[in-house]
Amino acid sequence: MKYLLGIGLIIFAFIILGGTFIPILQQEINYDLSKYQSSNEIKELKPLDTDFGILIPKIGANAHVVKGVDPYNPTIYQEALTKGVAHAKGSVLPGQIGNIFLFSHSSSDFLNATRYNSVFYLLSKLEKSDTIKLFYEGKEYNYLVATKQVTESDAIQFLTYEAKAETLTLMTCWPPGTTLQRLLVFAPRKAQ
């Protein structure tokens, strides 16, 4: 009887973990840079939200952006991250001079991988000159990746960075599924 209960628990665990984490693993497995002949040739996707949304064609990221989220209050930002990507309170908005700071999960852990939007799971695949599109109040704003950086998890200076030009900063946990460090992507607005 003990053995049957143990086998039943193992099967149950595989079903639970498989149902929550396998979609994210499939996204990584199916990701193939070779389908893009150049960083300028991108797959055309329709934005999920034109009131405030983000679209990163190269990695298929397409999400609503929750405006004005307190990045220092886990209760508030965890709730926002169930609805999309979070826009840090105090950072500027698209079309304004300064730093637009957006953050999202790469995946929180095995059990929460689908509970939260793991929109930035493939953020590390971005390279210099890749396009990131923001949509705000019906307008499209384009940014080009300039650099990426991995920092310590407590590095907060990027939240308060005062850019002299319109700059987009994306942040997620690194490596995916952990909170050990942070991956940051910096992208100035594309010249019009």
PDB file of all heavy atoms in Angstrom, residues 42-54:
ATOM      1  N   ILE A  42      12.076  40.831 -39.163  1.00  0.00           N
ATOM      2  CA  ILE A  42      11.343  40.367 -37.998  1.00  0.00           C
ATOM      3  C   ILE A  42       9.961  39.884 -38.387  1.00  0.00           C
ATOM      4  O   ILE A  42       9.394  40.302 -39.376  1.00  0.00           O
ATOM      5  CB  ILE A  42      11.225  41.477 -36.932  1.00  0.00           C
ATOM      6  CG1 ILE A  42      10.566  42.715 -37.530  1.00  0.00           C
ATOM      7  CG2 ILE A  42      12.568  41.805 -36.336  1.00  0.00           C
ATOM      8  CD1 ILE A  42      10.306  43.821 -36.554  1.00  0.00           C
ATOM      9  N   LYS A  43       9.470  38.989 -37.604  1.00  0.00           N
ATOM     10  CA  LYS A  43       8.133  38.449 -37.804  1.00  0.00           C
ATOM     11  C   LYS A  43       7.114  39.525 -37.427  1.00  0.00           C
ATOM     12  O   LYS A  43       7.228  40.171 -36.395  1.00  0.00           O
ATOM     13  CB  LYS A  43       7.983  37.226 -36.886  1.00  0.00           C
ATOM     14  CG  LYS A  43       6.712  36.474 -37.044  1.00  0.00           C
ATOM     15  CD  LYS A  43       6.780  35.262 -36.143  1.00  0.00           C
ATOM     16  CE  LYS A  43       5.457  34.543 -36.113  1.00  0.00           C
ATOM     17  NZ  LYS A  43       5.483  33.420 -35.205  1.00  0.00           N
ATOM     18  N   GLU A  44       6.131  39.748 -38.271  1.00  0.00           N
ATOM     19  CA  GLU A  44       5.102  40.737 -37.990  1.00  0.00           C
ATOM     20  C   GLU A  44       4.072  40.162 -37.023  1.00  0.00           C
ATOM     21  O   GLU A  44       3.432  39.170 -37.304  1.00  0.00           O
ATOM     22  CB  GLU A  44       4.416  41.178 -39.288  1.00  0.00           C
ATOM     23  CG  GLU A  44       5.262  42.102 -40.131  1.00  0.00           C
ATOM     24  CD  GLU A  44       5.623  43.411 -39.431  1.00  0.00           C
ATOM     25  OE1 GLU A  44       4.763  44.024 -38.775  1.00  0.00           O
ATOM     26  OE2 GLU A  44       6.792  43.809 -39.537  1.00  0.00           O
ATOM     27  N   LEU A  45       3.955  40.815 -35.901  1.00  0.00           N
ATOM     28  CA  LEU A  45       2.976  40.433 -34.885  1.00  0.00           C
ATOM     29  C   LEU A  45       2.089  41.631 -34.597  1.00  0.00           C
ATOM     30  O   LEU A  45       2.530  42.779 -34.693  1.00  0.00           O
ATOM     31  CB  LEU A  45       3.687  40.025 -33.591  1.00  0.00           C
ATOM     32  CG  LEU A  45       4.604  38.809 -33.637  1.00  0.00           C
ATOM     33  CD1 LEU A  45       5.387  38.698 -32.336  1.00  0.00           C
ATOM     34  CD2 LEU A  45       3.799  37.552 -33.857  1.00  0.00           C
ATOM     35  N   LYS A  46       0.852  41.379 -34.225  1.00  0.00           N
ATOM     36  CA  LYS A  46      -0.048  42.449 -33.818  1.00  0.00           C
ATOM     37  C   LYS A  46       0.096  42.630 -32.312  1.00  0.00           C
ATOM     38  O   LYS A  46       0.122  41.643 -31.571  1.00  0.00           O
ATOM     39  CB  LYS A  46      -1.491  42.108 -34.168  1.00  0.00           C
ATOM     40  CG  LYS A  46      -1.765  42.144 -35.644  1.00  0.00           C
ATOM     41  CD  LYS A  46      -3.229  41.960 -35.913  1.00  0.00           C
ATOM     42  CE  LYS A  46      -3.486  42.090 -37.404  1.00  0.00           C
ATOM     43  NZ  LYS A  46      -4.895  42.120 -37.713  1.00  0.00           N
ATOM     44  N   PRO A  47       0.163  43.879 -31.848  1.00  0.00           N
ATOM     45  CA  PRO A  47       0.306  44.100 -30.402  1.00  0.00           C
ATOM     46  C   PRO A  47      -0.932  43.642 -29.643  1.00  0.00           C
ATOM     47  O   PRO A  47      -2.059  43.818 -30.101  1.00  0.00           O
ATOM     48  CB  PRO A  47       0.499  45.609 -30.296  1.00  0.00           C
ATOM     49  CG  PRO A  47      -0.105  46.166 -31.539  1.00  0.00           C
ATOM     50  CD  PRO A  47       0.086  45.113 -32.599  1.00  0.00           C
ATOM     51  N   LEU A  48      -0.705  43.073 -28.490  1.00  0.00           N
ATOM     52  CA  LEU A  48      -1.781  42.622 -27.611  1.00  0.00           C
ATOM     53  C   LEU A  48      -2.548  43.815 -27.039  1.00  0.00           C
ATOM     54  O   LEU A  48      -3.750  43.743 -26.835  1.00  0.00           O
ATOM     55  CB  LEU A  48      -1.191  41.783 -26.478  1.00  0.00           C
ATOM     56  CG  LEU A  48      -2.142  41.083 -25.545  1.00  0.00           C
ATOM     57  CD1 LEU A  48      -2.907  40.003 -26.288  1.00  0.00           C
ATOM     58  CD2 LEU A  48      -1.381  40.458 -24.381  1.00  0.00           C
ATOM     59  N   ASP A  49      -1.835  44.926 -26.799  1.00  0.00           N
ATOM     60  CA  ASP A  49      -2.454  46.093 -26.184  1.00  0.00           C
ATOM     61  C   ASP A  49      -1.822  47.361 -26.742  1.00  0.00           C
ATOM     62  O   ASP A  49      -0.614  47.559 -26.611  1.00  0.00           O
ATOM     63  CB  ASP A  49      -2.245  46.035 -24.667  1.00  0.00           C
ATOM     64  CG  ASP A  49      -2.978  47.109 -23.899  1.00  0.00           C
ATOM     65  OD1 ASP A  49      -3.456  48.084 -24.517  1.00  0.00           O
ATOM     66  OD2 ASP A  49      -3.063  46.988 -22.666  1.00  0.00           O
ATOM     67  N   THR A  50      -2.607  48.215 -27.377  1.00  0.00           N
ATOM     68  CA  THR A  50      -2.070  49.469 -27.916  1.00  0.00           C
ATOM     69  C   THR A  50      -2.256  50.634 -26.949  1.00  0.00           C
ATOM     70  O   THR A  50      -1.744  51.721 -27.206  1.00  0.00           O
ATOM     71  CB  THR A  50      -2.707  49.818 -29.288  1.00  0.00           C
ATOM     72  OG1 THR A  50      -4.113  49.916 -29.122  1.00  0.00           O
ATOM     73  CG2 THR A  50      -2.351  48.782 -30.333  1.00  0.00           C
ATOM     74  N   ASP A  51      -2.969  50.420 -25.833  1.00  0.00           N
ATOM     75  CA  ASP A  51      -3.070  51.470 -24.813  1.00  0.00           C
ATOM     76  C   ASP A  51      -1.762  51.554 -24.025  1.00  0.00           C
ATOM     77  O   ASP A  51      -1.285  52.632 -23.715  1.00  0.00           O
ATOM     78  CB  ASP A  51      -4.239  51.219 -23.874  1.00  0.00           C
ATOM     79  CG  ASP A  51      -5.575  51.465 -24.555  1.00  0.00           C
ATOM     80  OD1 ASP A  51      -5.643  52.339 -25.440  1.00  0.00           O
ATOM     81  OD2 ASP A  51      -6.545  50.766 -24.208  1.00  0.00           O
ATOM     82  N   PHE A  52      -1.219  50.412 -23.669  1.00  0.00           N
ATOM     83  CA  PHE A  52       0.126  50.328 -23.097  1.00  0.00           C
ATOM     84  C   PHE A  52       0.553  48.871 -23.206  1.00  0.00           C
ATOM     85  O   PHE A  52       0.095  48.010 -22.464  1.00  0.00           O
ATOM     86  CB  PHE A  52       0.167  50.800 -21.648  1.00  0.00           C
ATOM     87  CG  PHE A  52       1.554  51.196 -21.165  1.00  0.00           C
ATOM     88  CD1 PHE A  52       1.728  51.697 -19.885  1.00  0.00           C
ATOM     89  CD2 PHE A  52       2.687  51.082 -21.963  1.00  0.00           C
ATOM     90  CE1 PHE A  52       2.983  52.076 -19.410  1.00  0.00           C
ATOM     91  CE2 PHE A  52       3.941  51.452 -21.517  1.00  0.00           C
ATOM     92  CZ  PHE A  52       4.088  51.955 -20.233  1.00  0.00           C
ATOM     93  N   GLY A  53       1.407  48.600 -24.174  1.00  0.00           N
ATOM     94  CA  GLY A  53       1.845  47.239 -24.426  1.00  0.00           C
ATOM     95  C   GLY A  53       3.274  47.188 -24.916  1.00  0.00           C
ATOM     96  O   GLY A  53       3.845  48.198 -25.327  1.00  0.00           O
ATOM     97  N   ILE A  54       3.844  46.008 -24.870  1.00  0.00           N
ATOM     98  CA  ILE A  54       5.201  45.774 -25.357  1.00  0.00           C
ATOM     99  C   ILE A  54       5.163  44.613 -26.343  1.00  0.00           C
ATOM    100  O   ILE A  54       4.428  43.638 -26.142  1.00  0.00           O
ATOM    101  CB  ILE A  54       6.198  45.491 -24.212  1.00  0.00           C
ATOM    102  CG1 ILE A  54       7.634  45.345 -24.759  1.00  0.00           C
ATOM    103  CG2 ILE A  54       5.782  44.283 -23.384  1.00  0.00           C
ATOM    104  CD1 ILE A  54       8.705  45.351 -23.683  1.00  0.00           C
TER     105      ILE A  54
END
